[in-house]
Structure formats: C-alpha cells, structure tokens
Amino acid sequence: MGGALASRGPPEEEAIMRYTGRIPVLQARHLILALLLMVAIPALVSGAELVNINTADAETLAAGIKWVGPVKAEAIIEYREQHGPFQFVDELTLVEGIGEKTVDANRDILTVGDNPSGD
C-alpha cells in the first residue's frame, strides 16, 4: 500500500486533492510564480519603460522613443494638442516625420494609456 501512495506524491498532497479537489499549495505557488515571470520577463529584457504618447513631455518622448529627437518630440506634442489624445499607437504615423518603421521599432514601449498595445 505504501508503494501506491508513493507513486502519487506525499500523503499530505494526496489528502488535499482528495478532500478539497484543489491543487496542493506548493504547486499553486509554482504556477503563480510561472505566470508572473511570463509577464515580467519581457519587460525586464527590453529594459525600457513604457512611453505614454498622450502624457509624455518632449524630453521623455525624445529619450524614450528610438529615432525620435527633440524636433519630432515637439511635433508629437503639437499634433496631440491640435487633434486630442491618440486612441491607438499606430496614429503616431499621422505626425509628420514619424513613419511606420519608427512605430514598429518602438511598439513594445509605446502606450496610449488604458490600452498599452494601442490595438
């Protein structure tokens, strides 16, 4: 009988499964940790902070967005002031001097606020 229990795991885990129908606490912690790492690692690897194109000042835009310097950063702000907030990240291409390549190269760090992917 000891062999049958040993193949299923420690007796306390077997008891938890039998009486609660839930996964053992240790396995749940591992699952939660794995899910958190799946979300956190891409942000850590990129090393860049999100740039909200609706609220960032010119300095933040120029420093945070590849291929955008002070002149293009000011153009983004002017466009935003004239037309209102961006609804989608892709609308950044409506700003003179900002093309699809710039948006695509920065897509992982650009946000419009509540909708980070801008989709």
Side-chain angles (χ1 to χ4, degrees):
M1 184 157 146
L5 285 177
S7 66
R8 294 183 189 169
E12 57 274 3
E13 285 185 9
E14 181 67 27
I16 291 170
M17 293 289 289
R18 189 173 339 119
Y19 293 113
T20 66
R22 297 182 183 155
I23 61 173
V25 174
L26 184 59
Q27 290 177 348
R29 287 183 183 157
H30 288 170
L31 177 63
I32 291 169
L33 178 61
L35 292 171
L36 287 172
L37 288 174
M38 286 174 39
V39 172
I41 287 178
L44 294 173
V45 171
S46 72
E49 292 190 27
L50 291 179
V51 176
N52 185 329
I53 59 176
N54 284 324
T55 60
D57 60 17
E59 184 178 332
T60 302
L61 292 168
I65 304 174
K66 289 182 225 171
W67 309 328
V68 170
V71 173
K72 288 183 184 178
E74 287 296 336
I76 292 169
I77 292 173
E78 285 180 32
Y79 184 91
R80 185 173 74 197
E81 289 172 350
Q82 291 175 1
H83 301 280
F86 295 95
Q87 298 298 310
F88 303 97
V89 167
D90 287 321
E91 290 177 1
L92 199 55
T93 60
L94 299 173
V95 177
E96 187 161 341
I98 307 287
E100 288 182 34
K101 287 183 181 181
T102 300
V103 172
D104 288 342
N106 292 283
R107 189 171 301 281
D108 58 334
I109 58 125
L110 297 176
T111 180
V112 293
D114 291 336
N115 187 3
S117 66
D119 295 332

